[in-house]
PDB file of all heavy atoms in Angstrom:
ATOM      1  N   THR A  16      54.833-165.971 164.739  1.00  0.00           N
ATOM      2  CA  THR A  16      53.553-165.631 165.236  1.00  0.00           C
ATOM      3  C   THR A  16      52.482-165.247 164.185  1.00  0.00           C
ATOM      4  O   THR A  16      51.315-165.195 164.467  1.00  0.00           O
ATOM      5  CB  THR A  16      53.652-164.330 166.200  1.00  0.00           C
ATOM      6  OG1 THR A  16      54.214-163.332 165.424  1.00  0.00           O
ATOM      7  CG2 THR A  16      54.521-164.665 167.344  1.00  0.00           C
ATOM      8  N   SER A  27      30.019-160.262 158.118  1.00  0.00           N
ATOM      9  CA  SER A  27      29.197-159.572 159.005  1.00  0.00           C
ATOM     10  C   SER A  27      27.761-159.559 158.524  1.00  0.00           C
ATOM     11  O   SER A  27      27.463-160.139 157.388  1.00  0.00           O
ATOM     12  CB  SER A  27      29.707-158.102 159.092  1.00  0.00           C
ATOM     13  OG  SER A  27      29.591-157.441 157.851  1.00  0.00           O
ATOM     14  N   TYR A  58      66.211-152.380 140.169  1.00  0.00           N
ATOM     15  CA  TYR A  58      64.931-153.077 140.020  1.00  0.00           C
ATOM     16  C   TYR A  58      63.715-152.278 140.643  1.00  0.00           C
ATOM     17  O   TYR A  58      62.718-152.069 140.021  1.00  0.00           O
ATOM     18  CB  TYR A  58      64.946-154.470 140.717  1.00  0.00           C
ATOM     19  CG  TYR A  58      65.993-155.383 140.189  1.00  0.00           C
ATOM     20  CD1 TYR A  58      66.700-156.285 140.975  1.00  0.00           C
ATOM     21  CD2 TYR A  58      66.264-155.503 138.838  1.00  0.00           C
ATOM     22  CE1 TYR A  58      67.676-157.131 140.513  1.00  0.00           C
ATOM     23  CE2 TYR A  58      67.252-156.375 138.297  1.00  0.00           C
ATOM     24  CZ  TYR A  58      67.875-157.205 139.175  1.00  0.00           C
ATOM     25  OH  TYR A  58      68.875-158.088 138.711  1.00  0.00           O
ATOM     26  N   THR A 106      50.667-151.886 156.335  1.00  0.00           N
ATOM     27  CA  THR A 106      49.467-152.558 156.616  1.00  0.00           C
ATOM     28  C   THR A 106      48.789-152.082 157.903  1.00  0.00           C
ATOM     29  O   THR A 106      47.583-152.011 157.990  1.00  0.00           O
ATOM     30  CB  THR A 106      49.636-154.083 156.590  1.00  0.00           C
ATOM     31  OG1 THR A 106      50.612-154.442 157.512  1.00  0.00           O
ATOM     32  CG2 THR A 106      50.014-154.580 155.196  1.00  0.00           C
ATOM     33  N   PHE A 163      56.432-164.807 136.168  1.00  0.00           N
ATOM     34  CA  PHE A 163      56.528-166.240 136.398  1.00  0.00           C
ATOM     35  C   PHE A 163      57.587-166.644 137.330  1.00  0.00           C
ATOM     36  O   PHE A 163      58.295-165.771 137.835  1.00  0.00           O
ATOM     37  CB  PHE A 163      56.836-166.961 135.037  1.00  0.00           C
ATOM     38  CG  PHE A 163      57.820-166.347 134.125  1.00  0.00           C
ATOM     39  CD1 PHE A 163      59.179-166.292 134.442  1.00  0.00           C
ATOM     40  CD2 PHE A 163      57.458-165.719 132.914  1.00  0.00           C
ATOM     41  CE1 PHE A 163      60.094-165.707 133.652  1.00  0.00           C
ATOM     42  CE2 PHE A 163      58.378-165.085 132.125  1.00  0.00           C
ATOM     43  CZ  PHE A 163      59.712-165.065 132.471  1.00  0.00           C
ATOM     44  N   ALA A 176      68.513-173.917 125.669  1.00  0.00           N
ATOM     45  CA  ALA A 176      69.888-174.327 125.469  1.00  0.00           C
ATOM     46  C   ALA A 176      70.041-175.518 124.590  1.00  0.00           C
ATOM     47  O   ALA A 176      70.810-175.527 123.639  1.00  0.00           O
ATOM     48  CB  ALA A 176      70.610-174.582 126.784  1.00  0.00           C
ATOM     49  N   ALA A 185      76.863-178.447 129.381  1.00  0.00           N
ATOM     50  CA  ALA A 185      76.657-177.109 130.025  1.00  0.00           C
ATOM     51  C   ALA A 185      77.486-177.021 131.255  1.00  0.00           C
ATOM     52  O   ALA A 185      77.887-178.011 131.906  1.00  0.00           O
ATOM     53  CB  ALA A 185      75.203-176.971 130.388  1.00  0.00           C
ATOM     54  N   SER A 193      72.429-166.834 147.108  1.00  0.00           N
ATOM     55  CA  SER A 193      71.128-166.326 146.643  1.00  0.00           C
ATOM     56  C   SER A 193      70.167-167.521 146.435  1.00  0.00           C
ATOM     57  O   SER A 193      70.407-168.438 145.757  1.00  0.00           O
ATOM     58  CB  SER A 193      71.323-165.568 145.331  1.00  0.00           C
ATOM     59  OG  SER A 193      70.115-165.455 144.676  1.00  0.00           O
ATOM     60  N   LEU A 228      87.044-168.745 135.953  1.00  0.00           N
ATOM     61  CA  LEU A 228      86.855-168.646 134.439  1.00  0.00           C
ATOM     62  C   LEU A 228      88.021-169.290 133.694  1.00  0.00           C
ATOM     63  O   LEU A 228      87.743-169.904 132.596  1.00  0.00           O
ATOM     64  CB  LEU A 228      86.662-167.217 134.024  1.00  0.00           C
ATOM     65  CG  LEU A 228      85.289-166.553 134.467  1.00  0.00           C
ATOM     66  CD1 LEU A 228      85.322-165.078 134.182  1.00  0.00           C
ATOM     67  CD2 LEU A 228      84.162-167.216 133.814  1.00  0.00           C
ATOM     68  N   PRO A 242      73.239-168.346 136.717  1.00  0.00           N
ATOM     69  CA  PRO A 242      72.074-167.904 137.535  1.00  0.00           C
ATOM     70  C   PRO A 242      72.454-166.890 138.581  1.00  0.00           C
ATOM     71  O   PRO A 242      73.260-167.225 139.556  1.00  0.00           O
ATOM     72  CB  PRO A 242      71.579-169.207 138.168  1.00  0.00           C
ATOM     73  CG  PRO A 242      72.795-170.066 138.260  1.00  0.00           C
ATOM     74  CD  PRO A 242      73.749-169.679 137.093  1.00  0.00           C
ATOM     75  N   ALA A 281      79.469-153.279 126.158  1.00  0.00           N
ATOM     76  CA  ALA A 281      78.529-153.778 125.050  1.00  0.00           C
ATOM     77  C   ALA A 281      79.373-154.716 124.102  1.00  0.00           C
ATOM     78  O   ALA A 281      78.751-155.614 123.605  1.00  0.00           O
ATOM     79  CB  ALA A 281      77.989-152.570 124.302  1.00  0.00           C
ATOM     80  N   ALA A 297      58.600-158.700 120.800  1.00  0.00           N
ATOM     81  CA  ALA A 297      57.656-159.824 120.718  1.00  0.00           C
ATOM     82  C   ALA A 297      56.458-159.408 121.566  1.00  0.00           C
ATOM     83  O   ALA A 297      56.226-159.919 122.688  1.00  0.00           O
ATOM     84  CB  ALA A 297      58.307-161.084 121.294  1.00  0.00           C
ATOM     85  N   ALA A 320      61.323-154.742 131.281  1.00  0.00           N
ATOM     86  CA  ALA A 320      60.402-155.771 131.869  1.00  0.00           C
ATOM     87  C   ALA A 320      59.968-155.430 133.266  1.00  0.00           C
ATOM     88  O   ALA A 320      58.827-155.679 133.620  1.00  0.00           O
ATOM     89  CB  ALA A 320      61.162-157.139 131.867  1.00  0.00           C
ATOM     90  N   ASN A 322      59.598-152.377 134.494  1.00  0.00           N
ATOM     91  CA  ASN A 322      58.550-151.378 134.351  1.00  0.00           C
ATOM     92  C   ASN A 322      57.206-152.038 134.000  1.00  0.00           C
ATOM     93  O   ASN A 322      56.165-151.731 134.572  1.00  0.00           O
ATOM     94  CB  ASN A 322      58.844-150.416 133.166  1.00  0.00           C
ATOM     95  CG  ASN A 322      60.186-149.650 133.330  1.00  0.00           C
ATOM     96  OD1 ASN A 322      60.875-149.524 132.335  1.00  0.00           O
ATOM     97  ND2 ASN A 322      60.445-149.184 134.485  1.00  0.00           N
ATOM     98  N   LYS A 355      41.246-164.077 135.807  1.00  0.00           N
ATOM     99  CA  LYS A 355      41.194-165.015 134.645  1.00  0.00           C
ATOM    100  C   LYS A 355      41.140-164.175 133.366  1.00  0.00           C
ATOM    101  O   LYS A 355      40.475-163.145 133.301  1.00  0.00           O
ATOM    102  CB  LYS A 355      39.822-165.855 134.673  1.00  0.00           C
ATOM    103  CG  LYS A 355      39.808-166.861 133.579  1.00  0.00           C
ATOM    104  CD  LYS A 355      38.545-167.824 133.758  1.00  0.00           C
ATOM    105  CE  LYS A 355      38.465-168.872 132.731  1.00  0.00           C
ATOM    106  NZ  LYS A 355      37.306-169.738 132.837  1.00  0.00           N
ATOM    107  N   VAL A 392      58.090-168.212 124.372  1.00  0.00           N
ATOM    108  CA  VAL A 392      58.029-169.613 124.759  1.00  0.00           C
ATOM    109  C   VAL A 392      56.748-169.760 125.678  1.00  0.00           C
ATOM    110  O   VAL A 392      56.584-169.083 126.673  1.00  0.00           O
ATOM    111  CB  VAL A 392      59.257-170.028 125.575  1.00  0.00           C
ATOM    112  CG1 VAL A 392      59.187-171.556 125.903  1.00  0.00           C
ATOM    113  CG2 VAL A 392      60.453-169.721 124.753  1.00  0.00           C
TER     114      VAL A 392
END
Side-chain angles (χ1 to χ4, degrees):
T16 58
S27 62
Y58 298 142
T106 57
F163 41 70
S193 162
L228 288 172
N322 302 137
K355 185 177 181 180
V392 184

